[in-house]
Amino acid sequence: MDPAPIKQLEFVFVLVLTAKLKGKSVKAFAATSADYDARIFASREKDWKVSLTLLDGREYIQLKPGNYHRGKLKSRVPNSAQLCQHRDGQYYIHIQLKNEGPDPIPSERVIGVDFGRRDIAVTSIGDKWDGKQIQDVRDKFAKVRTAE
């Protein structure tokens, strides 16, 4: 099953729930993006075009990449993309590439990082750093977000 519709439903559910908690109603929701995987998206480097499956069939769209993006896309096969309509009304395509991470370097000394609520870092020899300062900032911004 494709997870994209589930993500959209989750997002709509959050909007409705947030509106309900604030005693308001959701007036409208319009999707401004579409996700493409390798089955319905293709990229051609020779003429810098992308091929997208749309409602009316396959469309070939000319890209205008700068030198930086040409270098990143050169000899690569994109695995997915997202077609987005930005606030200015223009459509943009966000192309995702898959990178392989470097091979791990063997080491006797290790540090673990936890993005949770307690210790944010613990070394292999037991040294710990608590996240109190970070947690205080998180709590402050959480209160600001929930205030009206």
Side-chain angles (χ1 to χ4, degrees):
M1 180 177 185
D2 184 16
I6 294 171
K7 288 180 185 175
Q8 289 176 341
L9 285 174
E10 288 173 354
F11 179 69
V12 171
F13 178 73
V14 169
L15 286 177
V16 172
L17 183 62
T18 303
K20 187 174 182 179
L21 290 172
K22 291 186 176 185
K24 299 178 181 178
S25 64
V26 176
K27 294 181 176 64
F29 174 75
T32 58
S33 67
D35 294 328
Y36 288 86
D37 62 12
R39 296 172 296 147
I40 55 177
F41 164 76
S43 175
R44 296 190 323 203
E45 187 180 326
K46 67 179 183 179
D47 56 359
W48 295 106
K49 286 187 178 183
V50 292
S51 169
L52 302 173
T53 301
L54 302 175
L55 293 174
D56 295 331
R58 201 107 172 120
E59 290 288 331
Y60 296 91
I61 301 167
Q62 182 69 48
L63 295 178
K64 297 179 184 175
N67 289 334
Y68 174 80
H69 293 103
R70 285 178 192 262
K72 291 291 183 186
L73 291 169
K74 189 173 178 105
S75 302
R76 302 288 302 274
V77 179
N79 57 328
S80 62
Q82 187 176 48
L83 181 64
C84 300
Q85 183 180 22
H86 286 205
R87 289 185 177 155
D88 62 4
Q90 295 290 316
Y91 286 89
Y92 296 85
I93 188 139
H94 302 257
I95 298 173
Q96 287 89 34
L97 302 169
K98 191 171 194 174
N99 284 336
E100 295 298 325
D103 292 333
I105 301 168
S107 174
E108 300 261 336
R109 299 183 62 163
V110 178
I111 187 167
V113 179
D114 176 14
F115 293 109
R117 314 258 317 164
R118 290 192 165 247
D119 298 328
I120 59 169
V122 180
T123 65
S124 59
I125 59 173
D127 293 333
K128 295 181 180 182
W129 290 267
D130 72 10
K132 178 151 178 34
Q133 183 180 4
I134 293 171
Q135 191 55 48
D136 291 344
V137 172
R138 286 179 182 165
D139 291 344
K140 175 185 170 189
F141 286 111
K143 287 178 186 174
V144 170
R145 282 193 302 268
T146 58
E148 290 188 54

